[in-house]
Every structure is written in C-alpha cells, then in structure tokens.
Amino acid sequence: MALISPSRRLRRTPFSDGVEAAGVQAYTVYNHMFLPTMFRSVIEDYRHLKEAVQIWDVACERQVEIRGPDAGRLMQMLTPRDLRGMLPGQCYYVPIVDETGGMLNDPVAVKLAEDRWWISIADSDLLMWVKGIAYGYRLDVLVDEPDVSPLGVQGPLADDLMARVFGDSVRNIRFFRFGWFQFQGRDMIIARSGYSKQGGFEIYVEGGDIGMPLWNALMEAGRDLDVRAGCPNLIERIEAGLLSYGNDMTRENTPHECGLGRFCNTQTAIGCIGRDALLRVAVEGPLRQVRPLAIGGAPVPACDRPWMVTAGEKTVGRVTSAAHSPDFDTNVSIAMIRMTHWDPGTELIVHCPDGPREAQVQEEFWL
Amino acid sequence: MALISPSRRLRRTPFSDGVEAAGVQAYTVYNHMFLPTMFRSVIEDYRHLKEAVQIWDVACERQVEIRGPDAGRLMQMLTPRDLRGMLPGQCYYVPIVDETGGMLNDPVAVKLAEDRWWISIADSDLLMWVKGIAYGYRLDVLVDEPDVSPLGVQGPLADDLMARVFGDSVRNIRFFRFGWFQFQGRDMIIARSGYSKQGGFEIYVEGGDIGMPLWNALMEAGRDLDVRAGCPNLIERIEAGLLSYGNDMTRENTPHECGLGRFCNTQTAIGCIGRDALLRVAVEGPLRQVRPLAIGGAPVPACDRPWMVTAGEKTVGRVTSAAHSPDFDTNVSIAMIRMTHWDPGTELIVHCPDGPREAQVQEEFWL
C-alpha cells in the first residue's frame, strides 16, 4: 500500500483528532473526506466489532439538506421509492437515480419535518445533482451541505454504551427510526442504523465543535465495555451484503441490478426523474444482478479493480468487492452476475490477479 | 502519513501500471481516482520537473462531454466567461459557478466542434451539476463521462520529447490551443497546457487500452532526456500560483475572490446561471482575495487544514496551501486575505500547527 498525501482538499473531520490518537493505520477518501479503514488490523477490527462496541468516524456521510415548501416534491423527484407514507422521525434507504435510471447514490434519507430532509450520502457529490434539479425546476427549496457529521456506534454492546451517555430511552429507538437527544445541552438526532449488521446507532452531530467532546465521552463511558475506535469493516460488510457505491454499483447500474428492487415503487413514485426509464425493468427484472459469490483457495488479495467472472468461454459477470472471512472460512465477495448464471449453486471461475479460482453463487449473503 | 486502502471505488487509471513500475510513493484521490503526489521526494521531483521532462498520470482530470444542438448554450449557462468568441481548437480556463456565484469547479473547456465540448474537470463531480441543469432545462444534449484520460508531459524538454513521438508539428501548437495527432493509428487531441509553469502538453488519451503503449513510447523516446514519471508538484504549483479546487477555493468562494475575475465577462456572458449573483461583485470587486504569502521560519509542515492569518487581534484570512521552496528560500503559500490587509508588503501572522510565524503579502506569485 502507498501513502496518502495530506492536503486541505482531503477534509479532516470533527473526530480526526480522536481517530489519530487511537492509532489509525489506513484511510480511504469518501466525499472528499478521510474515512478510516483500519486500526489494529482488518481481522482484529472485525473480531472486535462482532464482540464489543466501536466508535466510527463516518463524518464522510455528508448531508444534503433540503428545506422549504417544495422539499417533499424534490425528494420524490430523486428516487423511485414511494415516499408518500414516510413520516418525520423515519429514515428510508433511497436509491437515487438519474433520467436513465442509473444509480447516482444510495443514501439514507432522514425526514426531519414535512418541509425538511437530510440525505446522508454515499460517495458522490449528490449535492450538485440536487442543486441542478432544484434550479432547473425553479423549486422553492434551499439545498446545502450543513455542518453535520455522523458518528457511528456499532457492535453488540452499542445499546449499553449509548444508554450510559444518552439515557435508557435510546434503547427504544426502532430500526431506521430516529429521535432527538441531548448531549452537553446540544440537540442531536440519533438513528438506529449504520453500515454493519452488528446493530447500533448513528449520531448526527451538528456543529464540529461538539465532535471531540462527544467522542471522548463515549470512549470514557465504554472503558469497561472495551470500546474502541473502529470503522466500516471490509470483511463484515461483504458477509452482510452491504453494497458500497462506487465499488459494487455505479451510474451504469439500475437499482434492480443492485438488488434494490424492494426499495423501488416505480409505478407509484410519481414525479421520480428516472421513472420512465425504470418502468420496464421494474416489470421484467434486470439482466444481471448482484450476487454473493464464495471464492475458493487462499485468502484473496485486495479487490482494487473488477475481477472477471467466466463460465466456460463466456464472461458472465465481475467481482467488485472481496475479502477472506475467518468466520465463514471462505473468500466472501460481491459480484454482478448475468441471469444465465446467477442461480444459487452455479459454479463459476473468478479471475483474481494471482490466477483463476473456482467460485460458487450463494443462496444469500452470509450474515 | 497513513496508508491508503485500495478498493475499486478509488479508480485506477490506464497509466497506473506505469506509475507503479516507476515507484510511486504517495497518492491523493481526485475525482474518485488515484493521482500520484510523490515519486522520489517532493523536492527531488521538483528539481527534475524544472530541468528535464516528466510524464504525468493526470487521468483524474476526467472529462464531462457535452454534445448536441444545445451544447453551446449549456456551456454558457455554466460559466461567467463569455464563450462567443471561442473557436473549435481552443481551450479556455472557465470558472464554473452555481446560482449564487459560488465556484463548483475550475476546469479547462475544450471546444471540439460547435456542438461538442469536453470539460476537463478539477476535483468535484461536475457531471452531476451539468446533468441536472441539462435535465431541468430539457436541453437537447448528451452529457456523459467518456473514456478519455489526460496524460501530462511537463518540463522544459517537453517539446523535444513530444516531437520524437508525434512529429515536429507538435512544436507549433500554441498555448491553450490543441491539434489532432496520431499514435499507433489512433487519433489523439494534444493541447499545450498543464498544471505547471514549466511548459508542456496534455494528451487526451481516448480508450484506456492505448494508455500504457503511449506511456512506454514516451519513456522509451525520452531516455537520454532523463524523462521520468512525475506528478503535479506541490512546491512548484504554489510558486506558480496555480490554485487547487478544494484547497484554495470551494463553493463558498466567487471567481473574483479566487483572482479569476479576468476570466469573467459577467456583463456579456448572457445565460450564465450565476450571472445575477456576480454582477455586483464584478463591479465592486470582492472583499477578500487570493494572495501569495511568504511565511518565515523553518520549512512548514503539510497544510492539511486552513491556517488562520491574523493582524493584531483580528483574523484577516487563512492559508490553504503551503510548502517550503528551495529555489526562493522561503515558505511559499496561497492565502485568502481580507482587503484591509491584502496590499503587498503587509506584515501578518500565520498560525501554523507548530506556532505563529511572521508572513508578508507578496506583490505577485514567485514564478
């Protein structure tokens, strides 16, 4: 691995001081911001995430705030998910598509009020698309990036840790719901969500100045829970089938190809910009789709570019994320596979950098 | 410095194999793509850039292609620079602004034909803004990212090297003009441009497959010219006053604040989305502006966040890029300074991470 050069353009977060003090070893860049990828080792971090509780600097999940009388209309223009039933206090995972039905982002939308939303974005400058649409349609909305930085608390002991800092009522937050809580006199939105399957919360920290006090309070309160600084874990997120925008899907893919058809209500999502383009695929289904693929052999190297998947002479797909799973004792991966070869049990060949390997389409993801 | 984690999301380029073979030591991430920042050392790379010739993997300068009957109209909507006099074969540096006059990008626009443009972008997903505007206004245009990767050839011996590969007529390309040339039977646009003041070219390599053959041909042809793999050099670009989007300007800044007023024809750029917002600032001028600042003392550390600039008790600006210049024997920097303190010779204090230092506003940049 090479080094990463610091510059202002790669933005620090309100929690960067804590991350550095905890001995971060590697980063990626996400929405022009540092996102830690490893503290002790990917495997040690993985074990700990499944046993204890971690604090994650996911400030890079920047918010696009939409506010004003046309906020709801604009939100529905962005996604094929029908938002009519969504209430303030709810979070929705929303595929965002362009006029061709291509994925622009796969954020979590947070409905603060009828006329106010945050879109908690994956790695693309969605702000530009939303601003362009709002301007082109002359909508009465404000669209901006507020000073809000999510902090993740993930792992089986997350409820215990959070209750110590925010009180027992955090335990009552239901999945993909949020509530308002106080920390040092400041209001914070806390949602039960996060980029792991180990359970936990995301705290939407408004105002960078309160970032380190909160980080320190959580670290202090969780000392006997073995709380540690952590980060989205490559192995765990592949086991769980959590897609990563830019890795497992791009603008070339429809939501249906990404297995996100259940988040699309293309018939009733009136106003969605990509609706015309998606109506047919919503009925007929996609020609290729994301599948879990178990890859044989020794632990795979890092998947830094798509690996071709073949059957006989034919290319039938590609692997876009892969890692060796200690718990499942196989290489777990996320692949986009053509429908002719996507049935569970299908034997395929994955062309890893170190040579071809046998692989098998799985019934479902591992977690 | 920490390590950078590989993943497909951080895209490799058609030249990555060459960059790795040349022993790249550090990267940054730019438009979701790897951009080398250091080969031997920043100082050694700097010396060599000023004496010989380097091949730069600047594939991260992705293109936004605009094509169709409304292409010209859309281009003018994006920028306050008057494009009426621009001819096919020309490149223009164009500030791109939103409806508030805030900078969204500072690319080079390449006019291929009356109805076809490439926008060679700095580090933001400008594609999203352009697509949003085109959709909102129902313009008859195609907007997409083509498979085009710029390769830079920079340094005083650039003409000699390029002539060996593309023929002597490359020498006739004028500054910010381009011509069509052939390499192994493939057409390539070559412009006299680049992100240094040492002279040189940018080759717009269409089709990733021809990337390494071209890289190798240039390396081979320039062996006796001491050609090396290089990259935009932090010291040289600050000496030259070459701004970096995300470092020295963001969406918060107008072009005038960035010293780009000479690229704005706000009165006559009819159709520019930010025109209303910029008319007043075009007449009255900005309240703060980019200035070269010489900072005293030992070589400064990396500027990974803005450094406050003060005069007495008052904050009057901030430094956003800085490095020690061996040639000018001072710390060179780019700062945004309030008009009350921007006159050449003004003595200021810069608050570096290791303490306050004396600094002086310069008459002009160093190169």
Side-chain angles (χ1 to χ4, degrees), chain A residues 30-324:
Chain A
Y30 198 98
N31 285 323
H32 312 275
M33 204 170 235
F34 283 108
L35 170 62
T37 55
M38 183 171 74
F39 284 87
R40 299 193 182 186
S41 76
V42 174
I43 290 179
E44 214 176 322
D45 294 352
Y46 160 88
R47 288 256 173 266
H48 178 264
L49 169 62
K50 290 187 171 188
E51 286 163 8
V53 56
Q54 297 182 347
I55 312 296
W56 290 8
D57 174 0
V58 284
C60 64
E61 294 168 2
R62 305 311 296 165
Q63 311 307 305
V64 174
E65 176 161 343
I66 304 182
R67 192 179 206 164
D70 286 335
R73 179 181 170 202
L74 177 53
M75 272 303 308
Q76 188 63 79
M77 292 176 77
L78 301 177
T79 181
R81 184 160 181 183
D82 188 337
L83 302 178
R84 284 176 302 169
M86 187 176 178
L87 301 170
Q90 287 187 318
C91 308
Y92 270 22
Y93 178 69
V94 286
I96 306 281
V97 297
D98 67 13
E99 73 284 2
T100 73
M103 294 288 296
L104 295 179
N105 205 287
D106 69 323
V108 171
V110 179
K111 185 168 182 176
L112 302 168
E114 284 303 332
D115 61 353
R116 190 174 175 216
W117 306 65
W118 284 343
I119 313 178
S120 196
I121 61 173
D123 182 33
S124 74
D125 296 339
L126 188 66
L127 181 68
M128 294 228 183
W129 171 253
V130 181
K131 275 173 64 84
I133 295 298
Y135 185 79
Y137 278 82
R138 286 161 186 70
L139 300 181
D140 282 332
V141 284
L142 167 159
V143 180
D144 211 345
E145 178 180 313
D147 178 13
V148 171
S149 297
L151 185 65
V153 179
Q154 298 284 309
L157 306 183
D159 278 64
D160 294 339
L161 174 57
M162 288 291 281
R164 293 183 188 180
V165 175
F166 291 100
D168 264 324
S169 56
V170 291
R171 297 182 190 272
N172 302 328
I173 304 172
R174 288 190 287 148
F175 187 63
F176 262 55
R177 299 284 176 132
F178 70 82
W180 291 91
F181 292 82
Q182 284 232 329
F183 175 77
Q184 295 188 359
R186 302 269 284 266
D187 288 322
M188 293 183 183
I189 283 179
I190 299 179
R192 191 179 289 275
S193 59
Y195 197 62
S196 89
K197 281 263 170 99
Q198 305 308 316
F201 302 88
E202 287 179 305
I203 311 167
Y204 291 79
V205 180
E206 210 168 344
D209 61 301
I210 197 74
M212 280 312 299
L214 175 60
W215 174 282
N216 290 329
L218 287 162
M219 285 293 180
E220 193 63 36
R223 209 174 281 185
D224 62 304
L225 302 175
D226 191 25
V227 64
R228 291 185 199 164
C231 51
N233 184 274
L234 180 69
I235 309 169
E236 199 269 352
R237 78 122 177 128
I238 298 174
E239 288 177 352
L242 295 170
L243 306 186
S244 165
Y245 186 77
N247 281 304
D248 308 310
M249 60 182 131
T250 70
R251 211 160 46 82
E252 291 188 4
N253 303 114
T254 63
H256 303 78
E257 290 177 352
C258 307
L260 305 178
R262 66 188 185 282
F263 300 109
C264 296
N265 317 95
T266 315
Q267 274 298 336
T268 60
I270 313 294
C272 167
I273 287 171
R275 186 168 170 270
D276 291 347
L278 289 178
L279 278 171
R280 201 170 302 272
V281 75
V283 173
E284 297 176 357
L287 287 171
R288 55 181 181 178
Q289 199 170 50
V290 159
R291 283 290 182 276
L293 212 59
I295 305 175
V300 287
C303 184
D304 66 352
R305 67 202 93 174
W307 295 341
M308 287 302 119
V309 179
T310 57
E313 299 293 289
K314 270 201 292 221
T315 297
V316 299
R318 45 199 212 164
V319 168
T320 49
S321 296
H324 183 262

Side-chain angles (χ1 to χ4, degrees), chain B residues 175-339:
Chain B
F175 187 63
F176 263 54
R177 298 282 176 134
F178 69 81
W180 291 91
F181 292 82
Q182 283 230 332
F183 175 77
Q184 294 187 359
R186 301 269 285 267
D187 287 322
M188 293 184 182
I189 283 178
I190 298 179
R192 191 179 289 275
S193 59
Y195 197 61
S196 89
K197 281 265 171 94
Q198 305 308 315
F201 302 87
E202 286 180 304
I203 311 168
Y204 291 79
V205 180
E206 212 167 343
D209 61 301
I210 197 72
M212 280 312 298
L214 176 60
W215 174 282
N216 290 330
L218 286 162
M219 284 293 181
E220 193 63 36
R223 209 174 279 185
D224 62 306
L225 302 175
D226 191 25
V227 64
R228 291 186 198 162
C231 51
N233 184 273
L234 180 69
I235 309 169
E236 199 267 355
R237 78 120 177 130
I238 299 175
E239 289 177 351
L242 295 171
L243 306 187
S244 165
Y245 187 77
N247 280 305
D248 308 311
M249 59 181 132
T250 70
R251 211 161 44 84
E252 292 190 2
N253 303 115
T254 63
H256 303 79
E257 289 177 352
C258 306
L260 305 178
R262 66 187 183 283
F263 300 108
C264 298
N265 317 95
T266 316
Q267 274 298 334
T268 61
I270 312 293
C272 167
I273 286 171
R275 186 168 171 270
D276 290 349
L278 289 177
L279 278 171
R280 202 171 302 274
V281 74
V283 174
E284 296 176 358
L287 288 170
R288 56 182 181 177
Q289 199 170 49
V290 159
R291 284 289 182 278
L293 212 59
I295 304 174
V300 287
C303 184
D304 65 352
R305 64 203 92 175
W307 296 341
M308 287 301 120
V309 178
T310 57
E313 299 292 290
K314 271 202 290 228
T315 298
V316 299
R318 47 200 210 162
V319 168
T320 49
S321 295
H324 183 262
S325 162
D327 282 356
F328 295 96
D329 195 22
T330 185
N331 293 299
V332 294
S333 80
I334 299 175
M336 186 70 73
I337 305 289
R338 289 191 68 80
M339 68 185 302

Side-chain angles (χ1 to χ4, degrees), chain B residues 11 29-33 60-62 105 121-125:
Chain B
R11 298 181 283 179
V29 174
Y30 197 99
N31 285 324
H32 312 276
M33 205 169 235
C60 65
E61 295 169 2
R62 305 311 295 164
N105 204 287
I121 62 174
D123 182 33
S124 74
D125 295 339

